[in-house]
Amino acid sequence: MEIKEFNLKSLREIPIFFACDEGFVKYTMVSIKSIMENASRDRRYHIYILHMGILAATQSRVTAMADADFDIDFVDVTEKMNSIAGKLPIRDYYSNTTYFRLFIPDMFPQYRKALYIDSDTIVVGDISQMYDHRLGRLYAGVCPDRVVAQNEILGEYVEKVLGVKREKYFNAGVMLINCSQFRENHLLDEFLELLHVYLFVVAQDQDYLNILCKDQVLYMEPKWNAQVFGELACPVEEVGLLHFNMAAKPWHYKDCRLAEYFWKYAKYTSSYGEIKEGLESYTDEQRYVDSVSGEKLVALAVSEINREDNYLRQVTNAHRSEEKLELLKHIEELEKEGRFAEDAQVNPPAPPLLPEDINYLSRSLKSKTQTKYAFKLVRWFVNLLIKKKQLIIKEYKGVENLEKVADGAVITCNHFNAFDSFAITLAFEQGKLKKKKLYRVIREGNYTGFPGFYGFLMRHCNTLPLSSNFKTMEKFITAVDRVLQKKQFVLVYPEQGMWWNYRKPRPLQKGAFTFAARNNKPVLPVFITMSDSDVIDADGFYVQEYTVHFCEPIYPDPSKKQAVNAKEMLDKNYEAWKAVYEETYKKKLTYTCDEQAASNE
C-alpha cells in the first residue's frame, strides 16, 4: 500500500530549481525550509540547486534537509557551460548564477514544466498551487515587476529599450517555466544569438527573458511574487510568496519590512547562526553601497534610453520598410510646403465613377442582402485585426457626446490609417445609437479601384463614394442630404487625403460643414490620438494604440446663412481637434510651413 502511494506521488512530482553560489546557499536553505513547511504533502517534490563549485560540505548540510516528500540535489552546470563556451561573445558572462535558469529545459528533458525560484524568497503558501497553473503553449507563468511599474525611468527604459510595456514587464526571479515550449522553440539558442546582438546591462538576464517571452506568458496572481521592495501587489495576508528583491534583504537590515517571515524559517536551518552573524557584521559602508545601487540602476537605464543604437532602435531600424520611410519623408515635405489636402500616398489610377455605375442608397433585395453580408464580413475582419493587434483601441472618451446627437449628424474624423473608421464604427455600435446607420464618405478610387474582398466592402458597407464626374456628384449630394434628413449619420474626413500615422490635425475642407449647415444638422468632431504600443508591425513600426475622443457637438445657427454656418462650424471643429491634440500630447500645435514662413520674414 505504501509503495503504491509513493508511486502515485512520483507521478505528480513537482521540480523546483534554485541557482546560487557558495556565499548565497545559506539563504537558499531558508527558502527551501519555507517551501517544505507550507507545501501540500499530497505531492512529491524534487529540489535542484544549480551551481558551479559549491563545496561538498555545504552541499551535505543542505541535502540533510530532505525528507520523505522532498528530494534535494545539487547539479553542477560547469560541463554545460563548457559545452556552449564557444557560442558566447564574452567569457565572464555567466558569473551571475541567475542565468542558469535558461539551462533547465535542456538539461532536464524529463520535465514538461518546472518552477524556478530566486533564493531571496520565502514561500508562505502551498507551492503546488503555483505549479498547477496551466500554461498551454505559453512559455512561462510570471508576475509583473513592481519596481519597474512604480519607477518612471525604469518604466520608460523597458518601453524604449526593450519594446515591452511597463505593466507587462515581468520579474524573472519567480517563474513557472514551460520546459516543453522552451525546448520546442529553442529559446536557449535564441538567447545565445541575442547575446551577440545586444548586451543588456540594467536587468541583464531578466531583460533577455522579457524579450524572448514577450506576449507568450501567463500572468499569475501577484501573490506568487509579492516583491518587498516597493509597494506590495496584494495584501500581506494574501501573499503566497514573498520576494526580498533589490536591497530589501532581512539578513542585512534589522528594520527590513516583513523580515519576520524570513526569520521564522531561518531559525530552523543549520545556517541560522551564520546568517545572524552576517546581519550583525554588515557595515555602514556596505549599506551605503546598497543605498546608491538603485541610483546607479536608474542612471544605467537613462544611459540606455539615450543611446542612439539601443536595442529597440537597432531592431526597428533594421526592419523598417523603405516604402514607409519614404512615405514619412514625403509627409514631412507636404507639411513644410503647406500642402495639407493632398494625398501623401500615390493612389493608382482608377476609373471614374459614372452615374450609371452606382445607385446610392439602393434598397433592392439584392442590395440589402449584400450589405448584410458585407457587415458580417466587416465584424469578422475587425475582430481579426484586434486579435492580431493590428487594431488597438485603448480608450473611448466623450462617448456621451455621440448620444447627444441621436437625430443624426455629420461626424468628422482625422484620417491617418485605412482602419481608423473601424474605431468609430465600434463605438457607434456599442452605444445607445447602435440601431442607427453610419454612412462613410470615401474617395472615388476606393470604390472603383479595389478588387476582391476590400472592393466588396467598399461597395456594400454603407459607403458614399465621391466622384470626379459632375452628374455622379449630384447623385452623391442628394444621397448625403437624404441620409441626414432621415436622422442617420455620415462620417466625413474633412482633411481629405490620408497621412499615415500623422498625429496633428490638418486644416479642414468645407464640404462636411456645408452638408451639416444645409440640412440643419450638428457636426460631431472626433479626433483620434495615438501612442506607440509594444507591437511592431511587418514594416518595422509600432502599431498605434488609439484613443478616440468624441468632442462636444457643434450646432448651426438657424438665424445665419448656410455659408456663414459652414465656416463657423469648420473653425470650431478645428479648434476642438487642436484642443484635444495639445491636451493629449502636451505640446503646442505648430506646422513646419508656418515656422519656415516666420523664419523668412
Side-chain angles (χ1 to χ4, degrees):
M1 186 69 181
E2 290 181 359
I3 294 176
K4 185 176 180 180
E5 183 182 354
F6 177 80
N7 287 339
L8 180 61
K9 283 187 175 182
S10 296
L11 288 172
R12 303 179 67 202
E13 178 180 281
I14 295 176
I16 305 169
F17 289 83
F18 291 87
C20 64
D21 56 20
E22 177 72 26
F24 220 78
V25 72
K26 52 184 172 287
Y27 312 122
T28 308
M29 293 174 69
V30 182
S31 185
I32 291 173
K33 185 63 178 176
S34 71
I35 292 172
M36 296 177 69
E37 288 297 313
N38 296 294
S40 168
R41 291 290 169 158
D42 292 335
R43 308 286 281 276
R44 184 164 184 81
Y45 306 86
H46 200 145
I47 294 176
Y48 298 91
I49 301 172
L50 309 181
H51 72 103
M52 288 179 66
I54 291 178
L55 298 175
T58 304
Q59 293 186 33
S60 295
R61 288 169 55 201
V62 180
T63 55
M65 297 173 67
D67 63 21
D69 298 317
F70 279 85
D71 292 323
I72 302 175
D73 286 308
F74 282 78
V75 179
D76 194 326
V77 299
T78 303
E79 185 177 339
K80 180 67 175 178
M81 286 297 307
N82 291 337
S83 71
I84 65 169
K87 300 179 181 179
L88 300 178
I90 47 180
R91 299 276 70 82
D92 60 348
Y93 201 74
Y94 286 93
S95 59
N96 187 337
T97 57
T98 59
Y99 287 93
F100 295 171
R101 80 194 80 186
L102 288 154
F103 302 150
I104 293 170
D106 286 355
M107 289 185 66
F108 298 86
Q110 70 270 35
Y111 292 127
R112 180 176 55 85
K113 62 180 180 177
L115 284 166
Y116 171 83
I117 302 175
D118 275 352
S119 295
D120 54 354
T121 56
I122 294 295
V123 181
V124 296
D126 177 4
I127 201 166
S128 68
Q129 294 178 7
M130 176 162 53
Y131 179 81
D132 286 340
H133 282 85
R134 295 184 177 182
L135 298 177
R137 299 187 67 82
L138 298 174
Y139 290 155
V142 296
C143 295
D145 192 295
R146 298 290 293 170
V147 175
V148 167
Q150 295 169 32
N151 185 286
E152 181 59 31
I153 292 177
L154 294 180
E156 186 179 2
Y157 162 76
V158 301
E159 291 179 347
K160 293 188 175 180
V161 179
L162 308 185
V164 177
K165 284 287 188 183
R166 65 188 70 192
E167 63 270 15
K168 293 184 177 180
Y169 181 85
F170 61 83
N171 181 281
V174 179
M175 295 181 68
L176 176 58
I177 300 173
N178 191 336
C179 298
S180 299
Q181 287 301 303
F182 264 60
R183 289 189 292 266
E184 184 177 324
N185 292 282
H186 309 289
L187 256 66
L188 178 58
D189 291 336
E190 282 194 34
F191 166 67
L192 296 174
E193 290 177 12
L194 194 52
L195 276 177
H196 290 269
V197 174
Y198 200 85
L199 182 62
F200 291 106
V201 295
V202 176
Q204 300 177 14
D205 59 315
Q206 186 163 282
D207 286 347
Y208 286 105
L209 282 163
N210 268 275
I211 289 174
L212 294 171
C213 299
K214 181 179 176 182
D215 295 328
Q216 295 296 321
V217 295
L218 169 72
Y219 292 97
M220 300 184 295
E221 302 90 332
K223 71 176 185 177
W224 291 116
N225 191 350
Q227 297 141 52
V228 175
F229 188 90
E231 182 182 339
L232 280 182
C234 66
V236 67
E237 59 271 14
E238 297 178 10
V239 167
L241 181 150
L242 276 172
H243 190 176
F244 293 96
N245 58 323
M246 304 290 284
K249 308 301 186 202
W251 54 86
H252 289 163
Y253 295 90
K254 293 180 180 179
D255 61 348
C256 177
R257 185 161 61 117
L258 303 176
E260 63 271 19
Y261 288 89
F262 174 81
W263 295 110
K264 174 182 178 180
Y265 301 101
K267 65 183 179 182
Y268 294 112
T269 69
S270 60
S271 296
Y272 179 63
E274 183 183 353
I275 295 171
K276 289 288 286 184
E277 183 180 332
L279 176 64
E280 298 299 331
S281 62
Y282 204 65
T283 66
D284 289 341
E285 183 179 353
Q286 289 172 307
R287 293 186 179 94
Y288 173 75
V289 171
D290 289 343
S291 70
V292 299
S293 62
E295 296 173 11
K296 289 182 177 179
L297 193 68
V298 169
L300 276 174
V302 171
S303 175
E304 287 289 293
I305 292 168
N306 292 330
R307 272 184 61 172
E308 289 297 326
D309 63 341
N310 74 31
Y311 172 76
L312 193 57
R313 291 191 177 108
Q314 287 186 32
V315 171
T316 53
N317 290 338
H319 293 90
R320 285 185 168 178
S321 73
E322 287 298 323
E323 181 181 351
K324 282 289 175 66
L325 289 171
E326 285 298 319
L327 174 59
L328 291 175
K329 184 178 178 181
H330 184 48
I331 289 173
E332 286 182 10
E333 292 171 353
L334 290 175
E335 181 184 339
K336 190 177 294 185
E337 296 171 13
R339 295 154 57 193
F340 290 103
E342 293 185 26
D343 270 315
Q345 291 172 277
V346 177
N347 296 302
L353 181 63
L354 301 177
E356 59 268 24
D357 296 330
I358 184 169
N359 184 9
Y360 287 99
L361 308 180
S362 171
R363 301 306 297 157
S364 68
L365 178 61
K366 179 181 179 181
S367 175
K368 286 192 286 187
T369 301
Q370 289 175 325
T371 298
K372 186 175 181 180
Y373 179 60
F375 273 104
K376 283 186 177 180
L377 284 178
V378 164
R379 289 185 182 92
W380 167 82
F381 182 58
V382 171
N383 288 336
L384 183 65
L385 292 176
I386 292 172
K387 184 177 180 180
K388 290 185 174 182
K389 294 189 175 181
Q390 293 174 312
L391 175 64
I392 304 174
I393 302 174
K394 183 179 180 181
E395 186 179 5
Y396 288 103
K397 292 187 175 182
V399 179
E400 66 277 6
N401 290 321
L402 178 59
E403 296 167 2
K404 292 177 183 178
V405 291
D407 287 337
V410 174
I411 299 177
T412 62
C413 184
N414 51 324
H415 196 21
F416 51 85
N417 190 291
F419 302 147
D420 50 32
S421 68
F422 292 145
I424 298 175
T425 303
L426 288 172
F428 198 86
E429 291 183 347
Q430 292 168 7
K432 294 180 180 178
L433 305 180
K434 58 185 176 183
K435 292 185 179 180
K436 291 282 189 174
K437 291 182 180 178
L438 176 67
Y439 292 81
R440 291 180 298 151
V441 174
I442 63 173
R443 59 183 294 272
E444 182 176 45
N446 288 350
Y447 192 89
T448 61
F450 271 113
F453 175 76
Y454 290 108
F456 181 79
L457 297 186
M458 289 294 178
R459 287 184 285 277
H460 299 292
C461 280
N462 289 349
T463 51
L464 302 172
L466 296 161
S467 176
S468 55
N469 180 276
F470 179 77
K471 290 292 184 182
T472 311
M473 279 302 292
E474 287 183 335
K475 293 180 68 174
F476 166 81
I477 292 169
T478 300
V480 174
D481 287 343
R482 185 176 166 192
V483 167
L484 293 174
Q485 289 160 12
K486 287 196 169 188
K487 300 182 179 181
Q488 303 297 342
F489 294 80
V490 178
L491 172 62
V492 184
Y493 294 109
E495 296 171 322
Q496 289 194 358
M498 184 182 81
W499 286 18
W500 183 73
N501 282 2
Y502 186 76
R503 296 189 175 188
K504 300 177 184 179
R506 288 179 277 151
L508 309 179
Q509 307 302 305
K510 67 179 182 180
F513 309 97
T514 299
F515 279 120
R518 185 167 65 247
N519 290 280
N520 195 31
K521 291 293 181 181
V523 169
L524 182 66
V526 177
F527 191 75
I528 301 177
T529 56
M530 294 168 265
S531 60
D532 292 343
S533 71
D534 60 348
V535 181
I536 297 177
D537 66 18
D539 289 322
F541 290 85
Y542 287 114
V543 174
Q544 297 297 292
E545 291 183 340
Y546 300 155
T547 297
V548 185
H549 304 261
F550 287 88
C551 306
E552 286 282 347
I554 302 168
Y555 295 89
D557 184 343
S559 67
K560 294 181 180 179
K561 292 183 178 180
Q562 176 181 309
V564 175
N565 267 323
K567 178 64 168 62
E568 289 183 354
M569 286 195 288
L570 182 154
D571 291 340
K572 289 177 181 177
N573 191 124
Y574 180 79
E575 288 301 318
W577 283 8
K578 178 183 176 184
V580 172
Y581 172 87
E582 294 183 341
E583 172 62 27
T584 302
Y585 298 119
K586 307 301 181 187
K587 63 173 72 172
K588 184 178 174 60
L589 175 60
T590 60
Y591 303 106
T592 51
C593 57
D594 295 333
E595 294 167 1
Q596 186 168 326
S599 66
N600 292 334
E601 290 179 356

